[in-house]
Amino acid sequence: MTSALIFLPLAGALIVGLLPLQRRATEWLALVVALAEAVLGAIALIGFNTGGGIQYVQNTRWISDFGTGVPIRYHVGMGGLSLFMVLLSAVGIAAAIGAAMIAGRDRSRAYLALLLLLESALVLLFTAQELVLFYVGWEVMMIPLYVLMGQWGGEGRRRATFQFVVYTLVGSLLMLVAIAVLGVTAHTFELSALTAHPHESTWLFLAFAAAFCIKAPIFPLHGWLPSAYRESTPEVTALLSGVISKAGAYGLIVFAVPLFPSVAHDWRWVFLGLGLAGLLYGAIVAFRQPDARGVVAYSSLSQMNLIVIGIFAFNSNGVTGAILQMVNHGVVSLAAFLLIGLVELRAGSDRFRVLGGLANGRPVMSTVLLIAALWALAVPGSGIFVSELYILIGAFQQQAVLGGVAACGIVLAAMYMLRWYSALAHEQDGEKVSAETPDLRVGELAIAVPLILILFAMTAYPWGVMQRVTTSQVAFDAPAKVQQL
């Protein structure tokens, strides 16, 4: 099952990229592959044993040990957290391909093939149970991203890509060195074997943590975020915020903390301090942004730092909330950025000063925007409210002041998301909005409605996620061990 989830989008990417089909046939073929991947992920969810542990495992000899005596194996499988990250990737890529079809991206064959290649790499890194294999997925993920950012998007896309490359290469290099040193000294790259005998190296922990914090992104390593989120196409921006940033948080939970639990525990106040600073900084800057993308981009920064607070609170409530928030915020980000893309298709801009009044005569669009805004600000009763509540409880359990400041940061979300919705849907009609500006069409609803239904499902039954991740060995064994230190 896991290998099928990895190689189906890879095969789809090759077919879509190489077959000389007509544009429409190519688009539908890519969409069918993405939907098939989502169905396969749903089958994995249904068959997942809530008893916990790594499931759907495949473990076989992969490549030479290069004379080091340390075997390198193709070892993949899914715990609860991996399962939901794979599902999030499948939903995100399917929605992105649908949005690209509506937007009519040029050179669609290459564009869609790169999206499918990105999906294959994401699934590989989320399911890898061996460090070298994880690093392969991490690096392969970067290749389609670089091309997608550099070849499609706004006028400043090349500068944005350069910044993104510099930041991520530094992080990748640090992680590569850490993996090599760790594997050779421990005589294994297997995650289970390495976490069974935790390590004490501060430098190796910081090397892993830096790579993951850059990708998340965590304050102050977020310098690539503003330009990348603004200059990429809406589909790529949605994936950056909704899925790829979660790879950084996933790395912290599954690799950095379990491999170096005592070091992570010693450094927890540094990461908690950075998390608080990023939470507040992102929220305040989001409120001051002049465009819809800027608000959602900095709100994403704020929310990712909240996730870091949950992780480094070092208790079950904090980690549970962080994982729930990864899933909830992933879906909300996908919906918000793809909706902004639909607004940009109509108005040619996302600047607030030329928008406004989209609710007038466009009830469907205003309703969908309102739902996205309400979920993003964590209205009580929503799925995000539940996850934020868990993080807050975890923060208060760690330190009352920490919980109090985090609560202030969470409240600020209402400020910038209400401004976001009001500036788009209400206020005075902008010069880019006219009576002819259409409401959401059926094809566009086919993208928005499934994401909204997932948010409703997460709200109605958050236990469906918690039941699987709380019994997940990779998600909770390490924090539990750290609590005992």
Side-chain angles (χ1 to χ4, degrees):
M1 173 64 78
T2 305
S3 293
L5 284 162
I6 294 169
F7 290 108
L8 175 61
L10 178 61
L14 292 173
I15 294 171
V16 167
L18 297 177
L19 275 185
L21 298 175
Q22 295 293 322
R23 178 192 182 93
R24 210 57 183 165
T26 300
E27 292 174 342
W28 279 106
L29 177 60
L31 184 60
V32 167
V33 172
L35 292 175
E37 178 81 353
V39 170
L40 202 59
I43 293 172
L45 174 65
I46 293 170
F48 191 83
N49 184 350
T50 56
I54 306 300
Q55 301 172 34
Y56 306 117
V57 175
Q58 186 169 358
N59 188 353
T60 185
R61 184 69 178 259
W62 181 33
I63 55 178
S64 164
D65 59 9
F66 302 106
T68 62
V70 185
I72 299 175
R73 304 184 65 82
Y74 175 80
H75 186 183
V76 294
M78 289 187 281
L81 178 56
S82 302
L83 174 66
F84 284 101
M85 290 299 99
V86 169
L87 287 168
L88 186 62
S89 304
V91 170
I93 292 293
I97 289 176
M101 291 172 65
I102 292 171
R105 299 291 168 210
D106 63 332
R107 296 166 286 165
S108 62
R109 188 192 303 174
Y111 190 85
L112 299 175
L114 288 167
L115 286 177
L116 290 172
L117 175 60
L118 174 62
E119 182 172 29
S120 180
L122 281 167
V123 176
L124 176 60
L125 81 85
F126 284 135
T127 59
Q129 301 299 317
E130 201 262 6
L131 290 187
V132 175
L133 198 60
F134 173 79
Y135 186 78
V136 170
W138 185 272
E139 286 302 293
V140 173
M141 173 182 71
M142 294 296 103
I143 297 171
L145 264 181
Y146 295 152
V147 182
L148 286 166
M149 291 175 64
Q151 295 297 316
W152 288 269
E155 293 180 356
R157 62 185 182 277
R158 300 193 189 283
R159 183 173 179 274
T161 305
F162 177 75
Q163 285 184 325
F164 185 65
V165 167
V166 171
Y167 271 89
T168 53
L169 280 185
V170 170
S172 295
L173 179 61
L174 290 172
M175 185 164 64
L176 177 61
V177 172
I179 288 174
V181 172
L182 190 62
V184 171
T185 54
H187 301 290
T188 181
F189 290 108
E190 291 284 328
L191 180 62
S192 57
L194 290 167
T195 53
H197 303 285
H199 305 269
E200 304 291 337
S201 170
T202 299
W203 293 110
L204 292 181
F205 165 73
L206 291 178
F208 275 104
F212 298 141
C213 288
I214 287 172
K215 191 58 54 64
I218 305 304
F219 180 87
L221 302 175
H222 66 284
W224 60 270
L225 178 145
S227 55
Y229 280 32
R230 280 202 174 96
E231 299 299 337
S232 301
T233 62
E235 304 88 75
V236 173
T237 305
L239 292 172
L240 278 170
S241 176
V243 184
I244 294 164
S245 65
K246 306 305 177 291
Y250 175 85
L252 289 172
I253 294 174
V254 177
F255 291 88
V257 174
L259 289 172
F260 310 93
S262 61
V263 181
H265 187 264
D266 291 341
W267 280 74
R268 68 190 187 283
W269 285 108
V270 173
F271 288 89
L272 289 171
L274 294 177
L276 279 180
L279 173 67
L280 297 172
Y281 169 80
I284 293 170
V285 177
F287 181 72
R288 295 175 56 84
Q289 292 304 297
D291 56 337
R293 281 204 202 199
V295 172
V296 182
Y298 279 100
S299 74
S300 179
L301 170 67
S302 182
Q303 293 298 313
M304 290 307 300
N305 280 270
L306 179 63
I307 289 172
V308 167
I309 293 173
I311 295 170
F312 284 91
F314 275 102
N315 51 58
S316 293
N317 284 320
V319 176
T320 301
I323 293 172
L324 281 173
Q325 186 73 344
M326 287 167 65
V327 181
N328 278 306
H329 179 257
V331 180
V332 168
S333 292
L334 287 169
F337 276 115
L338 292 176
L339 284 171
I340 291 171
L342 297 178
V343 171
E344 289 178 354
L345 279 179
R346 285 159 169 75
S349 173
D350 69 331
R351 309 285 289 186
F352 290 141
R353 62 180 173 79
V354 297
L355 294 174
L358 285 170
N360 298 330
R362 286 165 286 273
V364 179
M365 173 173 279
S366 63
T367 301
V368 174
L369 286 171
L370 179 60
I371 292 172
L374 289 177
W375 255 252
L377 65 83
V379 65
S382 66
I384 284 192
F385 174 78
V386 175
S387 53
E388 290 186 349
L389 184 61
Y390 267 93
I391 293 175
L392 271 186
I393 293 172
F396 273 109
Q397 285 178 319
Q398 177 61 246
Q399 174 61 250
V401 174
L402 173 68
V405 178
C408 294
I410 289 174
V411 170
L412 292 176
M415 186 174 68
Y416 58 72
M417 286 313 301
L418 288 177
R419 174 176 178 258
W420 180 81
Y421 174 72
S422 177
L424 289 175
H426 298 294
E427 298 186 355
Q428 190 172 0
D429 288 4
E431 62 185 66
K432 295 287 186 179
V433 179
S434 66
E436 288 72 33
T437 303
D439 203 346
L440 288 185
R441 302 183 179 92
V442 174
E444 294 166 332
L445 278 175
I447 299 172
V449 169
L451 296 174
I452 290 172
L453 290 178
I454 293 172
L455 290 176
F456 284 166
M458 291 282 295
T459 297
Y461 191 57
W463 180 245
V465 177
M466 294 166 65
Q467 185 183 29
R468 288 163 175 80
V469 299
T470 53
T471 56
S472 169
Q473 182 181 0
V474 292
F476 282 89
D477 269 7
K481 288 174 183 172
V482 172
Q483 281 183 284
Q484 297 168 6
L485 293 175

